[in-house]
Amino acid sequence: MELSNLKPPRGSRKKPKRVGRGPGSGHGKTACRGHKGQRSRSSGNVRPGFEGGQMPLVRRLPKRGFRNPNKKVYTILNVRDLEHFETNAIVDPQSLISTGVIRKTDNGIKILAEGNINKPLTVKVHKISSSARAKIEAAGGNIEEI
């Protein structure tokens, strides 16, 4: 058996339905759309959430609470994630992205205290929890808030 000889089992692959190809095909004339109505027209699809004129679910349900449009969403990072860096390294947003620890900085980076750290590091981030600050400083590192 070689890659060039591989074929799917008989009956596992179906040919696509070819519509609108004449009366002999069995799918000609109306092309399986029926005779009249919205779905038979050329632009007959409706937008997502449209319920045929009935009040849509999104509008039937009440709105609750307040959505702050200016809310800051921080990229969360734990102390254990800083173990990837060498001793006395400078940890800033650019180094975190380049090493692949995080993908992007939304409105900044916040460090939380999950895990332990044994190396002294210089950490430059936007926010840090007090317990994470204590762990990094106990390991001999220092923190600069950007």
Side-chain angles (χ1 to χ4, degrees):
M1 180 183 293
E2 295 173 355
L3 283 176
S4 60
N5 298 335
L6 288 178
K7 289 199 306 195
R10 280 183 67 90
S12 69
R13 304 277 299 193
K14 291 174 75 174
K15 288 185 178 179
K17 182 195 286 189
R18 285 172 48 102
V19 297
R21 295 293 184 270
S25 69
H27 302 298
K29 193 183 173 214
T30 57
C32 303
R33 289 170 174 250
H35 282 279
K36 294 180 187 173
Q38 185 172 24
R39 301 273 310 196
S40 71
R41 316 289 184 205
S42 62
S43 61
N45 288 343
V46 295
R47 67 183 179 274
F50 183 69
E51 298 184 18
Q54 173 177 303
M55 186 62 66
L57 181 68
V58 139
R59 291 183 60 196
R60 287 198 305 263
L61 297 177
K63 291 191 286 188
R64 290 278 296 154
F66 172 73
R67 300 289 172 119
N68 185 1
N70 303 318
K71 179 181 178 182
K72 286 196 171 186
V73 178
Y74 290 98
T75 301
I76 300 297
L77 192 66
N78 282 304
V79 170
R80 66 167 173 245
D81 300 326
L82 301 177
E83 281 291 325
H84 297 293
F85 293 94
E86 295 85 32
T87 304
N88 295 322
I90 295 176
V91 179
D92 58 351
Q94 291 81 21
S95 65
L96 287 166
I97 291 171
S98 63
T99 55
V101 177
I102 60 173
R103 286 196 191 142
K104 61 182 178 174
T105 60
D106 293 325
N107 291 319
I109 299 171
K110 181 168 185 176
I111 297 188
L112 301 179
E114 185 138 337
N116 292 314
I117 187 165
N118 306 326
K119 309 171 188 176
L121 298 172
T122 303
V123 180
K124 298 179 181 179
V125 289
H126 302 87
K127 293 273 187 179
I128 186 164
S129 69
S130 57
S131 49
R133 180 184 295 272
K135 285 185 179 183
I136 292 171
E137 288 173 348
N142 56 340
I143 293 116
E144 296 176 30
E145 288 197 29
I146 302 172

